[in-house]
Tab-separated table of all heavy atoms in Angstrom:
chain	number	residue	atom	x	y	z
A	124	VAL	N	-4.067	4.354	-11.921
A	124	VAL	CA	-4.859	3.698	-10.873
A	124	VAL	C	-5.618	2.499	-11.433
A	124	VAL	O	-5.862	1.517	-10.729
A	124	VAL	CB	-5.831	4.709	-10.222
A	124	VAL	CG1	-6.860	4.012	-9.361
A	124	VAL	CG2	-5.049	5.709	-9.382
A	125	HIS	N	-5.967	2.560	-12.724
A	125	HIS	CA	-6.785	1.506	-13.327
A	125	HIS	C	-5.945	0.523	-14.150
A	125	HIS	O	-6.471	-0.191	-15.006
A	125	HIS	CB	-7.866	2.138	-14.211
A	125	HIS	CG	-8.780	3.058	-13.458
A	125	HIS	ND1	-9.700	2.615	-12.533
A	125	HIS	CD2	-8.878	4.419	-13.471
A	125	HIS	CE1	-10.339	3.651	-12.013
A	125	HIS	NE2	-9.862	4.755	-12.558
A	126	THR	N	-4.643	0.488	-13.886
A	126	THR	CA	-3.765	-0.455	-14.577
A	126	THR	C	-3.182	-1.452	-13.573
A	126	THR	O	-3.346	-1.309	-12.361
A	126	THR	CB	-2.597	0.276	-15.267
A	126	THR	OG1	-1.690	0.787	-14.265
A	126	THR	CG2	-3.099	1.420	-16.141
A	127	GLY	N	-2.455	-2.424	-14.111
A	127	GLY	CA	-1.804	-3.407	-13.258
A	127	GLY	C	-0.648	-2.847	-12.456
A	127	GLY	O	-0.076	-3.571	-11.625
A	128	LEU	N	-0.269	-1.590	-12.675
A	128	LEU	CA	0.776	-0.964	-11.870
A	128	LEU	C	0.242	-0.426	-10.547
A	128	LEU	O	1.018	0.052	-9.721
A	128	LEU	CB	1.445	0.185	-12.642
A	128	LEU	CG	2.367	-0.212	-13.795
A	128	LEU	CD1	2.987	1.032	-14.418
A	128	LEU	CD2	3.461	-1.165	-13.333
A	129	ASN	N	-1.054	-0.489	-10.356
A	129	ASN	CA	-1.633	-0.036	-9.086
A	129	ASN	C	-1.709	-1.220	-8.129
A	129	ASN	O	-2.574	-2.073	-8.243
A	129	ASN	CB	-3.023	0.547	-9.322
A	129	ASN	CG	-3.679	1.013	-8.030
A	129	ASN	OD1	-2.999	1.196	-7.012
A	129	ASN	ND2	-4.982	1.202	-8.051
A	130	SER	N	-0.786	-1.263	-7.171
A	130	SER	CA	-0.802	-2.343	-6.182
A	130	SER	C	-1.127	-1.811	-4.789
A	130	SER	O	-0.912	-2.487	-3.793
A	130	SER	CB	0.548	-3.072	-6.176
A	130	SER	OG	1.627	-2.173	-6.076
A	131	ARG	N	-1.647	-0.593	-4.732
A	131	ARG	CA	-2.033	-0.021	-3.439
A	131	ARG	C	-3.334	-0.682	-2.982
A	131	ARG	O	-4.340	-0.650	-3.683
A	131	ARG	CB	-2.244	1.485	-3.576
A	131	ARG	CG	-2.703	2.194	-2.307
A	131	ARG	CD	-2.909	3.683	-2.633
A	131	ARG	NE	-3.203	4.490	-1.477
A	131	ARG	CZ	-4.434	4.876	-1.108
A	131	ARG	NH1	-5.477	4.460	-1.810
A	131	ARG	NH2	-4.614	5.637	-0.052
A	132	PRO	N	-3.328	-1.300	-1.801
A	132	PRO	CA	-4.528	-1.990	-1.326
A	132	PRO	C	-5.575	-1.003	-0.823
A	132	PRO	O	-5.273	0.152	-0.523
A	132	PRO	CB	-4.012	-2.851	-0.172
A	132	PRO	CG	-2.842	-2.069	0.358
A	132	PRO	CD	-2.219	-1.402	-0.831
A	133	ASP	N	-6.797	-1.463	-0.730
A	133	ASP	CA	-7.843	-0.670	-0.099
A	133	ASP	C	-7.795	-0.906	1.414
A	133	ASP	O	-7.263	-1.902	1.888
A	133	ASP	CB	-9.226	-1.084	-0.629
A	133	ASP	CG	-9.378	-0.749	-2.101
A	133	ASP	OD1	-8.820	0.276	-2.536
A	133	ASP	OD2	-10.040	-1.532	-2.812
A	134	GLY	N	-8.348	0.033	2.152
A	134	GLY	CA	-8.493	-0.187	3.589
A	134	GLY	C	-7.346	0.339	4.414
A	134	GLY	O	-6.627	1.258	4.026
A	135	ALA	N	-7.143	-0.288	5.570
A	135	ALA	CA	-6.276	0.251	6.617
A	135	ALA	C	-4.814	0.319	6.221
A	135	ALA	O	-4.071	1.136	6.752
A	135	ALA	CB	-6.424	-0.584	7.890
A	136	THR	N	-4.367	-0.534	5.302
A	136	THR	CA	-2.945	-0.542	4.956
A	136	THR	C	-2.593	0.469	3.864
A	136	THR	O	-1.429	0.625	3.526
A	136	THR	CB	-2.500	-1.939	4.493
A	136	THR	OG1	-3.303	-2.337	3.381
A	136	THR	CG2	-2.637	-2.944	5.613
A	137	ALA	N	-3.600	1.127	3.302
A	137	ALA	CA	-3.337	2.134	2.280
A	137	ALA	C	-2.850	3.422	2.932
A	137	ALA	O	-2.848	3.573	4.146
A	137	ALA	CB	-4.592	2.386	1.459
A	138	GLY	N	-2.423	4.349	2.091
A	138	GLY	CA	-1.854	5.602	2.580
A	138	GLY	C	-2.897	6.587	3.047
A	138	GLY	O	-4.029	6.214	3.357
A	139	PRO	N	-2.542	7.871	3.093
A	139	PRO	CA	-3.459	8.912	3.568
A	139	PRO	C	-4.788	8.835	2.824
A	139	PRO	O	-4.809	8.690	1.600
A	139	PRO	CB	-2.710	10.208	3.235
A	139	PRO	CG	-1.272	9.824	3.209
A	139	PRO	CD	-1.242	8.416	2.685
A	140	PRO	N	-5.899	8.899	3.550
A	140	PRO	CA	-7.207	8.738	2.910
A	140	PRO	C	-7.544	9.862	1.950
A	140	PRO	O	-8.283	9.666	0.988
A	140	PRO	CB	-8.178	8.723	4.099
A	140	PRO	CG	-7.443	9.395	5.222
A	140	PRO	CD	-6.005	9.078	5.010
A	141	ALA	N	-7.007	11.062	2.169
A	141	ALA	CA	-7.312	12.184	1.290
A	141	ALA	C	-6.458	12.130	0.037
A	141	ALA	O	-5.276	11.783	0.080
A	141	ALA	CB	-7.086	13.506	2.028
A	142	GLY	N	-7.053	12.462	-1.113
A	142	GLY	CA	-6.289	12.540	-2.344
A	142	GLY	C	-5.985	11.188	-2.947
A	142	GLY	O	-6.637	10.184	-2.656
A	143	ASP	N	-4.967	11.151	-3.789
A	143	ASP	CA	-4.656	9.939	-4.538
A	143	ASP	C	-3.240	9.456	-4.259
A	143	ASP	O	-2.583	8.895	-5.126
A	143	ASP	CB	-4.837	10.188	-6.033
A	143	ASP	CG	-4.028	11.382	-6.528
A	143	ASP	OD1	-3.302	11.985	-5.716
A	143	ASP	OD2	-4.127	11.716	-7.729
A	144	CYS	N	-2.767	9.661	-3.058
A	144	CYS	CA	-1.424	9.251	-2.671
A	144	CYS	C	-1.278	7.736	-2.795
A	144	CYS	O	-2.147	6.975	-2.364
A	144	CYS	CB	-1.126	9.700	-1.246
A	144	CYS	SG	0.533	9.267	-0.680
A	145	GLN	N	-0.168	7.289	-3.377
A	145	GLN	CA	0.051	5.864	-3.616
A	145	GLN	C	0.922	5.207	-2.545
A	145	GLN	O	1.614	4.221	-2.820
A	145	GLN	CB	0.691	5.670	-4.990
A	145	GLN	CG	-0.315	5.689	-6.124
A	145	GLN	CD	-1.163	4.424	-6.162
A	145	GLN	OE1	-0.658	3.312	-6.036
A	145	GLN	NE2	-2.455	4.591	-6.330
A	146	ALA	N	0.925	5.742	-1.337
A	146	ALA	CA	1.661	5.131	-0.232
A	146	ALA	C	0.840	3.982	0.363
A	146	ALA	O	-0.385	4.056	0.436
A	146	ALA	CB	1.962	6.166	0.843
A	147	TYR	N	1.535	2.934	0.794
A	147	TYR	CA	0.857	1.811	1.442
A	147	TYR	C	1.900	0.970	2.176
A	147	TYR	O	3.106	1.212	2.057
A	147	TYR	CB	0.086	0.956	0.430
A	147	TYR	CG	0.922	0.338	-0.670
A	147	TYR	CD1	1.401	-0.969	-0.573
A	147	TYR	CD2	1.209	1.054	-1.834
A	147	TYR	CE1	2.151	-1.546	-1.581
A	147	TYR	CE2	1.958	0.480	-2.860
A	147	TYR	CZ	2.425	-0.816	-2.732
A	147	TYR	OH	3.175	-1.378	-3.730
A	148	HIS	N	1.448	-0.009	2.945
A	148	HIS	CA	2.375	-0.876	3.664
A	148	HIS	C	1.817	-2.280	3.768
A	148	HIS	O	0.610	-2.504	3.628
A	148	HIS	CB	2.688	-0.314	5.060
A	148	HIS	CG	1.514	-0.260	5.989
A	148	HIS	ND1	1.265	-1.228	6.934
A	148	HIS	CD2	0.511	0.651	6.111
A	148	HIS	CE1	0.167	-0.914	7.608
A	148	HIS	NE2	-0.309	0.218	7.137
A	149	PHE	N	2.719	-3.236	3.997
A	149	PHE	CA	2.306	-4.627	4.167
A	149	PHE	C	3.419	-5.368	4.897
A	149	PHE	O	4.568	-4.908	4.942
A	149	PHE	CB	2.011	-5.290	2.816
A	149	PHE	CG	3.190	-5.318	1.876
A	149	PHE	CD1	4.014	-6.431	1.791
A	149	PHE	CD2	3.475	-4.223	1.065
A	149	PHE	CE1	5.097	-6.454	0.929
A	149	PHE	CE2	4.555	-4.240	0.196
A	149	PHE	CZ	5.374	-5.356	0.126
A	150	SER	N	3.074	-6.512	5.463
A	150	SER	CA	4.046	-7.332	6.174
A	150	SER	C	4.181	-8.666	5.450
A	150	SER	O	3.278	-9.506	5.515
A	150	SER	CB	3.618	-7.560	7.623
A	150	SER	OG	4.536	-8.410	8.285
A	151	PRO	N	5.305	-8.891	4.749
A	151	PRO	CA	5.481	-10.168	4.044
A	151	PRO	C	5.745	-11.332	4.990
A	151	PRO	O	5.423	-12.473	4.683
A	151	PRO	CB	6.685	-9.906	3.135
A	151	PRO	CG	7.449	-8.829	3.845
A	151	PRO	CD	6.437	-7.975	4.551
A	152	ALA	N	6.358	-11.027	6.146
A	152	ALA	CA	6.655	-12.044	7.155
A	152	ALA	C	7.114	-11.332	8.416
A	152	ALA	O	7.899	-10.391	8.348
A	152	ALA	CB	7.739	-13.005	6.674
A	153	ALA	N	6.608	-11.759	9.558
A	153	ALA	CA	7.019	-11.152	10.823
A	153	ALA	C	8.503	-11.397	11.050
A	153	ALA	O	9.014	-12.466	10.697
A	153	ALA	CB	6.197	-11.743	11.969
A	154	PRO	N	9.234	-10.425	11.602
A	154	PRO	CA	8.776	-9.133	12.118
A	154	PRO	C	8.997	-7.974	11.130
A	154	PRO	O	9.193	-6.839	11.545
A	154	PRO	CB	9.692	-8.956	13.334
A	154	PRO	CG	11.006	-9.515	12.858
A	154	PRO	CD	10.652	-10.674	11.947
A	155	PHE	N	8.958	-8.266	9.826
A	155	PHE	CA	9.272	-7.242	8.834
A	155	PHE	C	8.011	-6.581	8.282
A	155	PHE	O	6.973	-7.221	8.117
A	155	PHE	CB	10.074	-7.842	7.678
A	155	PHE	CG	11.482	-8.188	8.056
A	155	PHE	CD1	11.798	-9.458	8.492
A	155	PHE	CD2	12.485	-7.235	7.997
A	155	PHE	CE1	13.090	-9.784	8.861
A	155	PHE	CE2	13.783	-7.547	8.356
A	155	PHE	CZ	14.088	-8.826	8.793
A	156	ARG	N	8.142	-5.284	7.999
A	156	ARG	CA	7.086	-4.535	7.325
A	156	ARG	C	7.719	-3.723	6.200
A	156	ARG	O	8.782	-3.130	6.370
A	156	ARG	CB	6.340	-3.616	8.304
A	156	ARG	CG	5.133	-2.895	7.658
A	156	ARG	CD	4.232	-2.285	8.724
A	156	ARG	NE	3.724	-3.306	9.632
A	156	ARG	CZ	2.661	-4.067	9.395
A	156	ARG	NH1	1.989	-3.940	8.273
A	156	ARG	NH2	2.284	-4.971	10.284
A	157	ILE	N	7.056	-3.706	5.066
A	157	ILE	CA	7.468	-2.887	3.923
A	157	ILE	C	6.549	-1.671	3.858
A	157	ILE	O	5.321	-1.821	3.864
A	157	ILE	CB	7.363	-3.658	2.600
A	157	ILE	CG1	8.037	-5.022	2.694
A	157	ILE	CG2	7.921	-2.818	1.453
A	157	ILE	CD1	9.524	-4.993	2.831
A	158	VAL	N	7.134	-0.488	3.807
A	158	VAL	CA	6.361	0.739	3.617
A	158	VAL	C	6.764	1.335	2.272
A	158	VAL	O	7.939	1.625	2.042
A	158	VAL	CB	6.610	1.771	4.736
A	158	VAL	CG1	5.808	3.049	4.475
A	158	VAL	CG2	6.240	1.194	6.100
């Protein structure tokens, strides 16, 4: 979590709030989303 391999953002786009799950999503360009 404290290295450069952690690219999970904070806030609404991050994964489940409980625990340390590294799931997240982002949209590089409409209409695409990466999960």
Side-chain angles (χ1 to χ4, degrees):
V124 168
H125 300 290
T126 70
L128 288 182
N129 179 17
S130 50
R131 178 182 186 261
D133 294 326
T136 57
D143 55 2
C144 181
Q145 278 287 315
Y147 60 96
H148 65 98
F149 60 96
S150 177
F155 288 93
R156 185 166 301 276
I157 310 292
V158 179

